[in-house]
Amino acid sequence: MRRKLLGALLAGGVLVTATGCGAADMTKQTSPYANASGAKTVTLSVQSWVGSQANVAVAQYLLEHELGYRVDTVQVDEVPAWDALSQDRVDALLEDWGHPDQEKRYVQEKKTIVSAGGEGVTGHIGWWVPKYLADEHPDILDWRNLDKYADLMRTAESGNKGQLLDGSPSYVTNDKALVKNLHLNYQPVFAGSEAAQITQIKQFAKDRKPFLTYWYTPQWLFNEVPMVEVKLPPHTDACGAKAPADIDCAYPTTPLQKYLNANFAKHGGKAAQFLKNFHWTKDEQNEVSQMIAEQKLSPEAAAKRWVDAHPDVWRAWLPK
């Protein structure tokens, strides 16, 4: 929903409004804070994975109901979100999984984006198998033994190789490089989206079938389908600096970050300060995520339920 970076999305994705009146042409749309001093409107970038949706839902609800702002949300792939943020098209990005190239360009060099601090959640991508499979075959948790179980993982989509289940083909992952460089008899197969991947994992678990999947934490699905991570070669800075096609180590662990458009950070008043203060735990994020994804509440309804239950958490985010 992340590359070295965990689940980033490819550049060039379609930008679509998630709230407001109809679709927007993001080549023309600008932030309400661009040339609009004192405007009481905020535009938030939301990514396709449910953790990002949970962040935005709660932030939007509190900005609207506690601080009196109107909030627009724009769904945009993760790399283009940096471009949109730099160009005053959106005001804030509340969950970034690590984009050093964009950070260098926009934060350090152009200074069109500023850090808003940590989200409070640490993200990690890896390869996972269901706990029932790990209990039966403990050695599967070492990547060097994965080929012993490739036949168990075969599907119609993976042909004569084991299936490595991935999510959206728009995610930037290291999985094809890892399979190639570690000489594994597996084929990455894309489910199509986070929701489709969750459906497939839940069906495998219901049928007690073996599976190997790209997955990430925090994610509420672990509450329903216990999974155990396969140990890949340890991540190192040297490995992380390799070209994407040469990656041969595990994904890093990344404290997730927030970023603001520089103009918004300077002129956004209480909204900007609130978003800087926004900081919660993975359990709190997962609580909202599960309400959206599993209980099928609307993001607004999920946010309201969480806000009503946790005033002790969010009141600390409100500007003094």
Side-chain angles (χ1 to χ4, degrees):
M1 60 330 341
R2 316 172 186 182
R3 204 203 135 220
K4 307 178 182 175
L5 324 115
L6 305 137
L9 303 176
L10 282 174
V14 177
L15 307 175
V16 184
T17 52
T19 65
C21 301
D25 180 354
M26 284 294 290
T27 64
K28 299 177 181 178
Q29 180 171 323
T30 59
S31 161
Y33 277 92
N35 303 315
S37 178
K40 292 283 286 185
T41 306
V42 181
T43 302
L44 301 179
S45 173
V46 57
Q47 278 67 59
S48 63
W49 58 92
V50 72
S52 171
Q53 294 164 11
N55 299 331
V56 171
V58 171
Q60 177 177 0
Y61 187 88
L62 290 169
L63 282 165
E64 291 179 341
H65 292 271
E66 294 294 325
L67 297 177
Y69 286 82
R70 170 189 164 183
V71 178
D72 293 324
T73 65
V74 178
Q75 184 167 317
V76 49
D77 287 353
E78 192 167 348
V79 172
W82 280 82
D83 303 325
L85 193 60
S86 174
Q87 297 164 11
D88 287 330
R89 296 176 181 177
V90 298
D91 296 315
L93 171 64
L94 299 185
E95 183 167 298
D96 182 76
W97 285 65
H99 290 83
D101 291 343
Q102 282 72 25
E103 185 177 353
K104 180 181 178 183
R105 180 182 304 123
Y106 292 129
V107 178
Q108 299 173 14
E109 296 175 356
K110 292 189 174 183
K111 302 186 186 304
T112 52
I113 294 174
V114 299
S115 170
E119 176 193 309
V121 175
T122 298
H124 176 64
I125 285 177
W127 291 0
W128 305 76
V129 295
K131 185 176 183 300
Y132 55 78
L133 182 63
D135 289 343
E136 185 176 355
H137 303 287
D139 65 332
I140 200 174
L141 298 181
D142 185 329
W143 70 271
R144 288 175 287 248
N145 297 320
L146 282 174
D147 276 358
K148 289 173 55 178
Y149 302 97
D151 287 347
L152 291 179
M153 311 292 190
R154 288 172 59 182
T155 66
E157 290 78 13
S158 66
N160 61 357
K161 298 183 177 182
Q163 175 175 279
L164 170 57
L165 182 64
D166 272 73
S168 168
S170 68
Y171 291 173
V172 183
T173 80
N174 299 332
D175 288 357
K176 289 184 179 180
L178 285 168
V179 166
K180 176 178 178 291
N181 296 329
L182 297 179
H183 308 290
L184 296 172
N185 187 31
Y186 282 80
Q187 175 65 45
V189 174
F190 292 96
S193 67
E194 181 186 65
Q197 190 177 8
I198 287 172
T199 298
Q200 184 65 80
I201 290 172
K202 289 173 70 175
Q203 187 61 53
F204 281 142
K206 180 180 178 181
D207 297 338
R208 303 283 290 185
K209 288 185 176 180
F211 67 85
L212 174 67
T213 188
Y214 162 108
W215 203 234
Y216 35 86
T217 180
Q219 227 293 336
W220 63 268
L221 185 63
F222 287 104
N223 298 335
E224 294 196 8
V225 181
M227 289 183 276
V228 186
E229 187 174 7
V230 174
K231 291 183 179 178
L232 295 170
H235 180 85
T236 64
D237 290 343
C239 177
K242 291 181 179 180
D246 297 329
I247 296 291
D248 57 0
C249 64
Y251 291 88
T253 296
T254 304
L256 306 185
Q257 300 295 309
K258 302 170 296 174
Y259 291 93
L260 304 180
N261 170 269
N263 290 336
F264 172 73
K266 184 176 181 180
H267 301 295
K270 289 186 177 181
Q273 187 60 52
F274 166 80
L275 294 173
K276 291 176 184 177
N277 294 345
F278 181 97
H279 184 275
W280 62 351
T281 68
K282 72 173 186 178
D283 290 339
E284 289 161 348
Q285 185 190 78
N286 280 340
E287 184 179 348
V288 179
S289 297
Q290 190 161 9
M291 284 190 276
I292 295 171
E294 184 69 2
Q295 300 175 28
K296 307 303 181 185
L297 271 66
S298 69
E300 181 178 12
K304 182 181 187 304
R305 182 178 293 183
W306 186 88
V307 165
D308 289 346
H310 299 282
D312 55 321
V313 177
W314 59 261
R315 288 194 186 282
W317 307 340
L318 300 179
K320 304 301 182 184

